Amino acid sequence: PLLGYSNEQAHDRLCGAQHADSSTPTSQHSLYPATKCTAACRSHHACEDSWEEIQNMKTIRAENEVEANKLVNNYRFGFRKWKSHVTERPFEGRSDVVKELYSELNVIKPHSGHFITCGNVAYVLLFGWWVSLAYFLVGTLMFITVAGVPYGKLCWKLCCYFLWPFGNPIHERRFATYVWLLLGYPPLVVVHSLACFISWILVFTIPVFKMNARTLGVILLLPPEDVSISHQDYETKALLCCYHAANWYYYKYTIDGINVFAANLLPLVIVALVTGYIDRENKYASSNVKFTIAIGSIIPLSYYIGMGIASISAQSNFAVGAVVNATFGSITELTFYITALLRGHQQANTCLEEVVKAALTGTLLGCILFIPGICMIIGGLRHSEQRFNSRSAGVSCALLFISIGGVFAPTLFSKAYGNLVCDSCTNSTGANSTSNSSGLFVCHNCHYDLSNGTLFHNHVQPLVYTVCSLLPIAYIIGLLFTLKTHSHIYNIHVGEVQVSGHHGTVVHWSRWRSLVILILATVLMSACADLATEHIQPILSQPNISQYFIGVTVLAMVPEIPEIVNGIQFALQNNISLSLEVGSCIAVQVCMLQIPILVLFNAFYDVGFVLIFSDQHLWASIFSVILVNYIFMDGKCDYFQGTALVVVYLILLAQYYFAPSPAGC
């Protein structure tokens, strides 16, 4: 049904027929009016075309206008797809599962299940035994002091409690002044702080963090006679009451709108900067460790950049949102590419240029094959078959064809007109190519010579500049087509969800805060990218791993991890259209924006970047686009098609893994 109508009613209403049932559920609370197709259906053919489009029309509900704008931006071509909310959601309107995540451990609730769960048993092994032992030792110390006997009794009670705290509430009997002994509280502060740190880092054990934090801040500051541990279940309030040590749904937990995983990874940035710029001589950390930390720090910075882009776009008009997305949408990848090219130019290391090209190709392959594939697999396991708008997917595929054709046109041109030069040629007798001996020669490291100025400067370079001028124009035309003249192909209608009570829209990040975070994250990204390229050489020097493989995997896909997570979440919500758009949008931006910017940068500051790719990059990218276009034809997908994409992606990775290192590495 479409917006409350059956298929037949929707078809008749679209073509102007009158129906007795005139109630329209979306007409009262619409934040963005639905596409008005009736005026366009003046002819039979127009009606049939609109009927084909309207079958894919999607109605989305939003809590407020800011979230509605963000949802609409998700379906706009060129805008970064973002899953998390940019506004605070009314707590009473959340699901019971989410309410449980943010609840304090001070309410006794009816519980009918068993307390012996995998998470609770894991708590005993990870935390319970050593926290309980600490209380036993501190309690013994309190008994030795004689004056601290009441606290010793409390510590021994808590010793049994923290060994298995589940279902045993701690009560307060009466109010009293806070008193605590100097010999008992400090060591327990260390114990509980360590438990808090470990349980918070593990994320899924955040209930253990809450339990230790509440014990440290409340229970241990009460006189011992005011604390009792009992099995009473008729009270509704308690000082501390925990039922489970772990909860899988804590992956949804946010802090000021930031996912807990991104918040936990943010200290990696500080560690990367400290170890990278202070320990210059690698006394405390090797280059491999510094490279790993620097690459890992890109993940939270990419998330913060995405959150900042989504926040500004959701609070601004279309023009501002488009400028912000075009400016900062590719900043993560461009920062690394430009930094690597600059360092390679300074060190006269042509290997870094090949690594950048491998990273560009790896991003294309990952966004064309892996992201849609893994989303189809995970979404298909929950939903047997998922459907998407085949026409909008066709637009993305057409732009991909244009992108790949334009980016690899100079490569095909150089192969058609360049001179093939082979090095290290030997015949069956072992003589080199300069000898006069006859026989079959075997050549290694063959490449097309572009060093002669005639071919490169008079033919290849003008072609590169021409292509890099046309690709952004094609991108702008794609924006006009999908956002202005033919925006109806996406058929998105946003309605307002009715929530109880009156709640104003509270945005996590204001425009100025988002802009400051964007600029700060970009600066930190530049520093981390500089450290990554500085310490990448030991990784590239590994004899058993091709530099191509490092580029197409680690350097290409690590910055895209937040996008992969967003795509998977869309697929789990049966919104596979956005999952597919996540990958195709990034791939199009790589070809139509990032590569032309790199060429423009090289034109003003020559770092030796030549838009000529190896054969493996060329054919892998072309084959991937053809395969994805074939799978997207019917407008539906399942986990089998996703498996096919992922398997092809892994096969291509295997080729890169066993491929010889590029020339100059």
Side-chain angles (χ1 to χ4, degrees):
L2 167 66
L3 305 181
Y5 297 101
S6 65
N7 290 339
E8 292 78 6
Q9 288 175 326
H11 183 269
D12 294 339
R13 187 173 181 84
L14 177 67
C15 298
Q18 301 296 326
H19 290 277
D21 184 10
S22 60
S23 61
T24 306
T26 59
S27 61
Q28 298 177 354
H29 308 292
S30 174
L31 297 175
Y32 292 89
T35 305
K36 298 181 180 179
C37 300
T38 306
C41 297
R42 303 293 177 91
S43 64
H44 175 74
H45 296 291
C47 178
E48 293 300 326
D49 292 341
S50 298
W51 169 236
E52 292 178 0
E53 297 167 1
I54 204 169
Q55 296 181 73
N56 290 323
M57 183 175 285
K58 191 175 185 66
T59 300
I60 307 174
R61 301 296 179 182
E63 292 93 350
N64 52 67
E65 188 173 356
V66 176
E67 287 297 329
N69 197 25
K70 187 209 71 175
L71 292 174
V72 171
N73 289 341
N74 275 346
Y75 286 89
R76 285 173 171 166
F77 171 73
F79 279 71
R80 194 159 186 164
K81 318 305 176 189
W82 192 251
K83 175 64 175 63
S84 300
H85 279 64
V86 297
T87 61
E88 294 184 7
R89 305 179 66 183
F91 186 76
E92 59 274 13
R94 310 292 290 273
S95 64
D96 294 336
V97 173
V98 176
K99 288 180 180 179
E100 180 67 22
L101 302 182
Y102 297 93
S103 62
E104 297 293 335
L105 303 182
N106 60 350
V107 178
I108 303 176
K109 294 170 287 188
H111 186 79
S112 58
H114 297 286
F115 292 116
I116 302 178
T117 62
C118 294
N120 292 353
V121 173
Y123 162 82
V124 177
L125 300 176
L126 293 175
F127 303 99
W129 68 271
W130 56 273
V131 175
S132 178
L133 179 61
Y135 270 97
F136 178 80
L137 297 176
V138 172
T140 303
L141 177 62
M142 293 298 99
F143 274 102
I144 294 176
T145 62
V146 179
V149 170
Y151 290 97
K153 294 179 180 179
L154 174 62
C155 287
W156 281 4
K157 290 180 182 179
L158 292 176
C159 169
C160 299
Y161 176 82
F162 280 103
L163 185 62
W164 188 263
F166 311 110
N168 297 325
I170 298 178
H171 300 272
E172 180 184 4
R173 290 180 177 174
R174 63 179 177 81
F175 292 101
T177 57
Y178 291 167
V179 179
W180 189 233
L181 297 176
L182 296 178
L183 296 178
Y185 187 66
L188 293 179
V189 170
V190 176
V191 171
H192 283 293
S193 299
L194 180 60
C196 286
F197 174 76
I198 297 175
S199 57
W200 181 267
I201 291 298
L202 296 177
V203 175
F204 302 108
T205 57
I206 286 181
V208 178
F209 165 84
K210 293 181 178 180
M211 181 175 61
N212 283 272
R214 190 165 182 81
T215 301
L216 191 61
V218 177
I219 295 174
L220 294 182
L221 296 178
L222 288 172
E225 64 271 14
D226 288 351
V227 179
S228 67
I229 302 174
S230 66
H231 298 277
Q232 299 174 351
D233 57 358
Y234 54 84
E235 299 186 32
T236 58
K237 289 289 184 180
L239 290 175
L240 182 62
C241 184
C242 183
Y243 294 99
H244 296 286
N247 190 335
W248 166 253
Y249 290 98
Y250 269 101
Y251 73 88
K252 297 182 176 181
Y253 199 78
T254 60
I255 307 163
D256 196 20
I258 297 298
N259 185 270
V260 62
F261 286 101
N264 286 350
L265 289 175
L266 193 59
L268 275 180
V269 180
I270 301 176
V271 175
L273 297 178
V274 171
T275 58
Y277 289 109
I278 294 180
D279 183 24
R280 285 290 187 179
E281 299 179 356
N282 296 344
K283 293 182 178 180
Y284 304 101
S286 63
S287 292
N288 293 338
V289 173
K290 292 180 179 179
F291 173 78
T292 303
I293 296 175
I295 287 294
S297 63
I298 292 178
I299 299 175
L301 291 176
S302 299
Y303 185 92
Y304 276 76
I305 289 175
M307 180 69 174
I309 292 174
S311 297
I312 294 179
S313 300
Q315 301 174 71
S316 308
N317 55 35
F318 167 73
V320 174
V323 171
V324 171
N325 275 270
T327 305
F328 292 96
S330 301
I331 198 68
T332 302
E333 297 84 355
L334 284 174
T335 300
F336 176 79
Y337 299 151
I338 293 177
T339 303
L341 292 174
L342 287 173
R343 186 170 295 277
H345 177 67
Q346 294 170 359
Q347 299 176 353
N349 185 1
T350 58
C351 185
L352 288 179
E353 179 190 353
E354 294 300 325
V355 169
V356 169
K357 293 178 182 178
L360 288 168
T361 308
T363 304
L364 288 177
L365 299 180
C367 294
I368 295 174
L369 296 176
F370 180 75
I371 294 181
I374 197 67
C375 293
M376 288 181 183
I377 293 175
I378 296 178
L381 293 177
R382 173 175 290 188
H383 312 281
S384 60
E385 184 179 81
Q386 295 182 294
R387 295 181 177 272
F388 55 90
N389 192 330
S390 59
R391 186 169 183 187
S392 62
V395 173
S396 299
C397 288
L399 289 172
L400 280 176
F401 269 116
I402 298 173
S403 303
I404 296 298
V407 167
F408 290 99
T411 303
L412 293 172
F413 184 88
S414 66
K415 294 184 182 303
Y417 298 100
N419 296 321
L420 185 64
V421 177
C422 296
D423 300 328
S424 303
C425 297
T426 58
N427 64 3
S428 57
T429 61
N432 56 33
S433 59
T434 59
S435 63
N436 296 324
S437 59
S438 60
L440 181 64
F441 278 87
V442 178
C443 297
H444 303 278
N445 193 18
C446 295
H447 60 278
Y448 287 91
D449 183 21
L450 298 178
S451 59
N452 60 52
T454 303
L455 177 64
F456 179 73
H457 293 290
N458 295 345
H459 300 279
V460 176
Q461 196 172 46
L463 175 62
V464 170
Y465 291 151
T466 302
V467 168
C468 290
S469 300
L470 293 176
L471 286 177
I473 296 176
Y475 185 80
I476 295 174
I477 294 175
L479 288 176
L480 294 175
F481 180 83
T482 56
L483 304 181
K484 186 69 175 177
T485 62
H486 288 70
S487 60
H488 60 276
I489 65 175
Y490 291 97
N491 292 323
I492 300 303
H493 174 270
V494 181
E496 183 182 10
V497 171
Q498 294 296 305
V499 294
S500 58
H502 299 280
H503 302 277
T505 303
V506 180
V507 182
H508 290 299
W509 294 1
S510 64
R511 294 185 185 90
W512 284 108
R513 181 184 178 186
S514 301
L515 183 60
V516 170
I517 291 177
L518 276 177
I519 296 174
L520 181 61
T522 302
V523 173
L524 294 176
M525 183 76 70
S526 302
C528 293
D530 178 66
L531 292 174
T533 55
E534 180 182 352
H535 298 283
I536 197 177
Q537 195 58 46
I539 307 294
L540 298 177
S541 301
Q542 296 292 329
N544 299 325
I545 302 178
S546 173
Q547 286 81 355
Y548 282 141
F549 181 77
I550 297 173
V552 299
T553 54
V554 178
L555 304 182
M557 296 310 294
V558 167
E560 309 303 337
I561 288 180
E563 307 296 338
I564 297 174
V565 173
N566 284 334
I568 291 174
Q569 291 179 331
F570 288 132
L572 288 174
Q573 293 182 344
N574 202 20
N575 195 354
I576 195 65
S577 295
L578 280 185
S579 299
L580 304 182
E581 288 291 335
V582 166
S584 61
C585 183
I586 298 175
V588 170
Q589 284 187 342
V590 168
C591 294
M592 294 189 169
L593 291 181
Q594 294 180 19
I595 290 179
I597 290 175
L598 292 178
V599 172
L600 179 64
F601 177 80
N602 186 81
F604 285 96
Y605 187 85
D606 189 5
V607 292
F609 180 73
V610 181
L611 198 62
I612 304 296
F613 292 85
S614 67
D615 288 353
Q616 191 164 359
H617 295 333
L618 170 66
W619 302 119
S621 301
I622 293 177
F623 175 74
S624 299
V625 173
I626 294 175
L627 176 63
V628 166
N629 186 68
Y630 174 76
I631 289 182
F632 286 180
M633 286 176 60
D634 57 354
K636 55 185 178 181
C637 62
D638 48 45
Y639 73 89
F640 175 76
Q641 293 177 323
T643 303
L645 293 178
V646 173
V647 168
V648 171
Y649 177 73
L650 295 178
I651 291 174
L652 294 176
L653 290 189
Q655 289 185 349
Y656 280 106
Y657 182 82
F658 294 107
S661 297
C665 294

